[in-house]
PDB file of all heavy atoms in Angstrom:
ATOM      1  N   GLU A  17      20.844   7.873   0.621  1.00 96.00           N
ATOM      2  CA  GLU A  17      19.934   8.968   0.318  1.00 96.00           C
ATOM      3  C   GLU A  17      19.070   9.335   1.533  1.00 96.00           C
ATOM      4  O   GLU A  17      18.618  10.471   1.643  1.00 96.00           O
ATOM      5  CB  GLU A  17      19.029   8.585  -0.843  1.00 96.00           C
ATOM      6  CG  GLU A  17      19.722   8.501  -2.182  1.00 96.00           C
ATOM      7  CD  GLU A  17      20.156   9.874  -2.698  1.00 96.00           C
ATOM      8  OE1 GLU A  17      19.381  10.826  -2.560  1.00 96.00           O
ATOM      9  OE2 GLU A  17      21.276   9.962  -3.240  1.00 96.00           O
ATOM     10  N   LEU A  18      18.839   8.359   2.414  1.00 96.00           N
ATOM     11  CA  LEU A  18      17.908   8.575   3.531  1.00 96.00           C
ATOM     12  C   LEU A  18      18.572   8.212   4.859  1.00 96.00           C
ATOM     13  O   LEU A  18      18.115   7.292   5.549  1.00 96.00           O
ATOM     14  CB  LEU A  18      16.624   7.735   3.333  1.00 96.00           C
ATOM     15  CG  LEU A  18      15.902   7.907   2.015  1.00 96.00           C
ATOM     16  CD1 LEU A  18      14.745   6.925   1.896  1.00 96.00           C
ATOM     17  CD2 LEU A  18      15.399   9.333   1.880  1.00 96.00           C
ATOM     18  N   PRO A  19      19.641   8.885   5.235  1.00 92.00           N
ATOM     19  CA  PRO A  19      20.335   8.572   6.459  1.00 92.00           C
ATOM     20  C   PRO A  19      19.421   8.695   7.692  1.00 92.00           C
ATOM     21  O   PRO A  19      18.665   9.658   7.802  1.00 92.00           O
ATOM     22  CB  PRO A  19      21.481   9.598   6.499  1.00 92.00           C
ATOM     23  CG  PRO A  19      21.008  10.744   5.642  1.00 92.00           C
ATOM     24  CD  PRO A  19      20.187  10.106   4.571  1.00 92.00           C
ATOM     25  N   GLY A  20      19.494   7.694   8.528  1.00 89.00           N
ATOM     26  CA  GLY A  20      18.693   7.736   9.746  1.00 89.00           C
ATOM     27  C   GLY A  20      17.275   7.195   9.617  1.00 89.00           C
ATOM     28  O   GLY A  20      16.596   7.001  10.636  1.00 89.00           O
ATOM     29  N   SER A  21      16.817   6.944   8.385  1.00 94.00           N
ATOM     30  CA  SER A  21      15.483   6.407   8.193  1.00 94.00           C
ATOM     31  C   SER A  21      15.464   4.896   8.411  1.00 94.00           C
ATOM     32  O   SER A  21      16.439   4.211   8.153  1.00 94.00           O
ATOM     33  CB  SER A  21      14.984   6.709   6.776  1.00 94.00           C
ATOM     34  OG  SER A  21      14.834   8.091   6.547  1.00 94.00           O
ATOM     35  N   THR A  22      14.356   4.415   8.937  1.00 95.00           N
ATOM     36  CA  THR A  22      14.193   2.974   9.146  1.00 95.00           C
ATOM     37  C   THR A  22      13.864   2.311   7.835  1.00 95.00           C
ATOM     38  O   THR A  22      12.923   2.671   7.144  1.00 95.00           O
ATOM     39  CB  THR A  22      13.076   2.705  10.164  1.00 95.00           C
ATOM     40  OG1 THR A  22      13.383   3.327  11.394  1.00 95.00           O
ATOM     41  CG2 THR A  22      12.877   1.207  10.369  1.00 95.00           C
ATOM     42  N   VAL A  23      14.674   1.305   7.469  1.00 96.00           N
ATOM     43  CA  VAL A  23      14.469   0.545   6.227  1.00 96.00           C
ATOM     44  C   VAL A  23      14.243  -0.902   6.619  1.00 96.00           C
ATOM     45  O   VAL A  23      15.072  -1.528   7.277  1.00 96.00           O
ATOM     46  CB  VAL A  23      15.696   0.664   5.303  1.00 96.00           C
ATOM     47  CG1 VAL A  23      15.466  -0.154   4.031  1.00 96.00           C
ATOM     48  CG2 VAL A  23      15.971   2.130   4.982  1.00 96.00           C
ATOM     49  N   GLU A  24      13.132  -1.478   6.186  1.00 96.00           N
ATOM     50  CA  GLU A  24      12.775  -2.847   6.503  1.00 96.00           C
ATOM     51  C   GLU A  24      12.661  -3.655   5.197  1.00 96.00           C
ATOM     52  O   GLU A  24      11.869  -3.317   4.329  1.00 96.00           O
ATOM     53  CB  GLU A  24      11.440  -2.885   7.235  1.00 96.00           C
ATOM     54  CG  GLU A  24      10.931  -4.300   7.531  1.00 96.00           C
ATOM     55  CD  GLU A  24       9.512  -4.303   8.082  1.00 96.00           C
ATOM     56  OE1 GLU A  24       9.087  -3.275   8.630  1.00 96.00           O
ATOM     57  OE2 GLU A  24       8.860  -5.354   7.962  1.00 96.00           O
ATOM     58  N   ARG A  25      13.439  -4.693   5.101  1.00 92.00           N
ATOM     59  CA  ARG A  25      13.369  -5.552   3.906  1.00 92.00           C
ATOM     60  C   ARG A  25      12.092  -6.409   3.993  1.00 92.00           C
ATOM     61  O   ARG A  25      11.879  -7.102   4.972  1.00 92.00           O
ATOM     62  CB  ARG A  25      14.591  -6.443   3.811  1.00 92.00           C
ATOM     63  CG  ARG A  25      15.854  -5.690   3.479  1.00 92.00           C
ATOM     64  CD  ARG A  25      17.062  -6.582   3.321  1.00 92.00           C
ATOM     65  NE  ARG A  25      16.941  -7.492   2.196  1.00 92.00           N
ATOM     66  CZ  ARG A  25      17.939  -8.243   1.742  1.00 92.00           C
ATOM     67  NH1 ARG A  25      19.119  -8.207   2.319  1.00 92.00           N
ATOM     68  NH2 ARG A  25      17.749  -9.062   0.734  1.00 92.00           N
ATOM     69  N   ALA A  26      11.310  -6.350   2.943  1.00 91.00           N
ATOM     70  CA  ALA A  26      10.071  -7.149   2.876  1.00 91.00           C
ATOM     71  C   ALA A  26      10.274  -8.419   2.062  1.00 91.00           C
ATOM     72  O   ALA A  26       9.607  -9.420   2.284  1.00 91.00           O
ATOM     73  CB  ALA A  26       8.939  -6.299   2.301  1.00 91.00           C
ATOM     74  N   SER A  27      11.148  -8.348   1.087  1.00 89.00           N
ATOM     75  CA  SER A  27      11.473  -9.508   0.245  1.00 89.00           C
ATOM     76  C   SER A  27      12.780  -9.197  -0.480  1.00 89.00           C
ATOM     77  O   SER A  27      13.424  -8.172  -0.184  1.00 89.00           O
ATOM     78  CB  SER A  27      10.350  -9.758  -0.781  1.00 89.00           C
ATOM     79  OG  SER A  27      10.297  -8.683  -1.710  1.00 89.00           O
ATOM     80  N   ILE A  28      13.172 -10.026  -1.419  1.00 86.00           N
ATOM     81  CA  ILE A  28      14.458  -9.827  -2.070  1.00 86.00           C
ATOM     82  C   ILE A  28      14.444  -8.581  -2.941  1.00 86.00           C
ATOM     83  O   ILE A  28      15.504  -8.030  -3.264  1.00 86.00           O
ATOM     84  CB  ILE A  28      14.818 -11.080  -2.917  1.00 86.00           C
ATOM     85  CG1 ILE A  28      16.303 -11.049  -3.280  1.00 86.00           C
ATOM     86  CG2 ILE A  28      13.957 -11.165  -4.181  1.00 86.00           C
ATOM     87  CD1 ILE A  28      16.832 -12.332  -3.878  1.00 86.00           C
ATOM     88  N   ASP A  29      13.247  -8.095  -3.332  1.00 90.00           N
ATOM     89  CA  ASP A  29      13.212  -6.922  -4.206  1.00 90.00           C
ATOM     90  C   ASP A  29      12.214  -5.877  -3.695  1.00 90.00           C
ATOM     91  O   ASP A  29      11.682  -5.080  -4.494  1.00 90.00           O
ATOM     92  CB  ASP A  29      12.877  -7.327  -5.650  1.00 90.00           C
ATOM     93  CG  ASP A  29      11.506  -7.916  -5.784  1.00 90.00           C
ATOM     94  OD1 ASP A  29      10.862  -8.185  -4.742  1.00 90.00           O
ATOM     95  OD2 ASP A  29      11.057  -8.158  -6.934  1.00 90.00           O
ATOM     96  N   GLU A  30      11.987  -5.850  -2.391  1.00 93.00           N
ATOM     97  CA  GLU A  30      10.982  -4.910  -1.863  1.00 93.00           C
ATOM     98  C   GLU A  30      11.406  -4.482  -0.457  1.00 93.00           C
ATOM     99  O   GLU A  30      11.810  -5.300   0.351  1.00 93.00           O
ATOM    100  CB  GLU A  30       9.633  -5.611  -1.817  1.00 93.00           C
ATOM    101  CG  GLU A  30       8.470  -4.726  -1.421  1.00 93.00           C
ATOM    102  CD  GLU A  30       7.165  -5.454  -1.496  1.00 93.00           C
ATOM    103  OE1 GLU A  30       7.079  -6.611  -0.980  1.00 93.00           O
ATOM    104  OE2 GLU A  30       6.204  -4.900  -2.083  1.00 93.00           O
TER     105      GLU A  30
END
Side-chain angles (χ1 to χ4, degrees):
E17 291 290 319
L18 306 174
S21 296
T22 299
V23 179
E24 176 188 339
R25 290 183 65 169
S27 67
I28 197 169
D29 64 351
E30 185 176 47

